[in-house]
Amino acid sequence: MKIDSGGTAWMLTSTALVLLMTPGLAFFYGGMTRAKSVLNMMMMSFVSIAVVGMAWVVYGYSLTFGDGGGLSSFIGGFGDWGLVGLENAATADDGTGIPQLVFVAFQATFAIITVALISGAVADRAKFGAWVVFTLVWVTLVYFPIAHWVWWSDGEKAGWLYDLGALDFAGGTVVHINAGVAALALVLVLGRRRGWPKEPMRPHNLPFVLLGAGLLWFGWFGFNAGSALGAGATAAVAFINTLAATCAAAFAWIVVEKLRDGSSTTLGIASGIVAGLVAVTPACAFVTPLGAIALGLAAGAVCAFAVGLKYRLGFDDSLDVVGVHMVGGIVGALLIGVLATTAVNDAGADGLLAGGGFALLGKQAVAVLATLAYSFVVTYVIAKVIDLVMGFRISEDDEAAGIDSTAHAETAYDFGTIRAGTGSGATAALSAHSVGTKVEAKK
């Protein structure tokens, strides 16, 4: 099939947009942490790019979008390891007219950001080396299989959730529910931060949070509309629905804040933006724009209440990954079963309101439950093994001093007593400890 230059240009642009989302996430998460942890938080996102990007090229794409033979319902094989033989492939497997390596690169950015999303749950307390090991093991044992279940098909065989007929256009189950429930498992292994929940642990830089939210929203148009794998009508409906749902969710979140707390906050509108983006991701090509607004309103309100559950249930999800990504992903995935209509996309299915009955809703529920169960159990085991072998959590002294100075020998801000990255190891660590302690004492 002849290469579609317009579609290829759109997919190259979308790939760059989605890759930008991970640095955007670094700003979003970095601003939400305390000043003594911001560099570590951002490093966790950037190292996810490095580790997952290499794993994807060597074997990740093959395991996710390859044929696994007798196990092909559950995992791919190693036929495309190292992308050998794909260098001159003319089109993607589905004949879209997009060079296959463009599709490979596009999907790599999804794997990268899924891993990075988890990091926000364990801010301030995870060993950097342990996190690096976790990223590689987790993406291999959790992300690659689930993505295969949901998205792989060669026309004759398919992943078992794809074959079931569960719909996930751009990653509600694969990315957001997966990352959110993995974050919960990781939090249960690492435990609470020192002083949580008695000590206030407020975001240190709300402008960073807003900048990160803006970059995420910008990149998300590539995330959702790019998943159409071409510049056509499906991309257009995914694009407008990504706009509509996110606007609705942001508005719903700050209304909930105003009614519940008396004030609408910048952190709230930024969180509402992300909640809307999360919820519309699986549904963006299957619902009408009005349906997207309804979905966004539901997600914004539900997630605004869900983030408070960590205090009632006692798990320290530092940056609300569970409340926004897991809960928002569940809302979006399930509401497909209610709001989807083939009038928008005949490749989808009719939900409850379009006369399709409960069949699609049931399939969506199976996909949600399967993702929750598999990701939680395997993540918990991975984290436990890493904790036993090398320790996953930093010491209390290092946590009090600040993980930026103790793990990276740097600080984000020059307080006049240390020059980041200079001096002997002992002197730098001692100065950093002093700076971190003073900063914490002021809070």
Side-chain angles (χ1 to χ4, degrees):
M1 182 176 180
K2 185 178 179 180
I3 291 176
D4 176 0
S5 59
T8 299
W10 166 239
M11 290 308 302
L12 289 168
T13 302
S14 294
T15 301
L17 287 170
V18 183
L19 183 60
L20 181 64
M21 290 170 65
T22 300
L25 181 73
F27 275 103
F28 183 74
Y29 279 171
M32 290 175 70
T33 60
R34 290 175 288 180
K36 63 183 182 179
S37 305
V38 54
L39 293 180
N40 175 258
M41 191 73 262
M42 299 181 82
M43 271 285 283
M44 292 171 84
S45 286
F46 276 90
V47 80
S48 298
I49 300 175
V51 174
V52 177
M54 288 190 292
W56 183 259
V57 170
V58 175
Y59 63 89
Y61 174 75
S62 188
L63 285 178
T64 305
F65 290 100
D67 188 339
L71 296 175
S72 60
S73 292
F74 303 101
I75 193 65
F78 290 99
D80 293 322
W81 75 275
L83 308 183
V84 176
L86 300 185
E87 297 91 340
N88 297 313
T91 63
D93 290 340
D94 57 4
T96 58
I98 308 301
Q100 191 163 353
L101 285 183
V102 176
F103 178 74
V104 172
F106 181 65
Q107 286 295 333
T109 61
F110 281 66
I112 287 166
I113 196 167
T114 304
V115 176
L117 287 172
I118 302 169
S119 66
V122 293
D124 301 324
R125 60 199 188 278
K127 287 183 179 179
F128 185 69
W131 170 254
V132 172
V133 173
F134 175 82
T135 61
L136 182 61
V137 179
W138 188 87
V139 78
T140 302
L141 298 183
V142 181
Y143 180 85
F144 296 159
I146 291 179
H148 183 84
W149 299 353
V150 175
W151 285 334
W152 177 75
S153 173
D154 66 359
E156 297 180 0
K157 296 182 291 185
W160 75 274
L161 286 175
Y162 185 105
D163 196 44
L164 177 70
L167 300 178
D168 183 354
F169 189 73
T173 51
V174 176
V175 176
H176 298 293
I177 297 175
N178 192 5
V181 74
L184 177 60
L186 197 54
V187 163
L188 295 179
V189 173
L190 265 70
R192 303 176 179 185
R193 285 169 291 178
R194 180 176 174 271
W196 187 89
K198 294 182 180 180
E199 295 180 14
M201 298 181 181
R202 301 184 182 92
H204 91 284
N205 193 323
L206 287 169
F208 268 22
V209 177
L210 292 171
L211 173 62
L215 289 171
L216 283 168
W217 198 349
F218 177 70
W220 223 291
F221 288 109
F223 197 83
N224 287 355
S227 293
L229 302 182
T234 302
V237 72
F239 198 105
I240 191 63
N241 285 345
T242 300
L243 174 66
T246 308
C247 291
F251 181 75
W253 191 298
I254 60 174
V255 168
V256 168
E257 279 191 324
K258 181 66 176 178
L259 295 176
R260 182 186 61 195
D261 308 323
S263 300
S264 299
T265 68
T266 53
L267 179 60
I269 199 165
S271 299
I273 286 168
V274 176
L277 292 167
V278 168
V280 77
T281 291
C284 59
F286 304 123
V287 301
T288 66
L290 289 178
I293 289 177
L295 187 152
L297 290 171
V302 170
C303 291
F305 285 109
V307 296
L309 291 177
K310 64 183 181 182
Y311 298 104
R312 295 185 182 182
L313 299 177
F315 63 91
D316 184 12
D317 172 19
S318 305
L319 308 183
D320 300 321
V321 182
V322 178
V324 173
H325 292 276
M326 188 186 83
V327 174
I330 291 171
V331 169
L334 293 180
L335 283 182
I336 290 175
V338 178
L339 299 170
T341 171
T342 52
V344 171
N345 185 348
D346 57 13
D350 286 324
L352 187 61
L353 296 183
F358 289 94
L360 181 57
L361 182 59
K363 295 173 183 178
Q364 296 303 115
V366 169
V368 167
L369 292 173
T371 302
L372 288 170
Y374 181 82
S375 183
F376 181 86
V377 171
V378 179
T379 303
Y380 191 88
V381 172
I382 293 169
K384 269 293 187 184
V385 171
I386 292 174
D387 193 39
L388 289 171
V389 172
M390 60 186 299
F392 214 136
R393 182 164 180 157
I394 60 175
S395 69
E396 284 196 10
D397 288 344
D398 285 352
E399 189 176 343
I403 196 169
D404 285 357
S405 58
T406 58
H408 305 293
E410 296 176 305
T411 58
Y413 306 101
D414 184 357
F415 295 103
T417 59
I418 184 172
R419 291 180 296 165
T422 62
S424 70
T427 302
L430 180 61
S431 300
H433 180 92
S434 174
V435 171
T437 303
K438 289 177 182 178
V439 173
E440 184 62 20
K442 291 179 180 179
K443 293 190 176 183

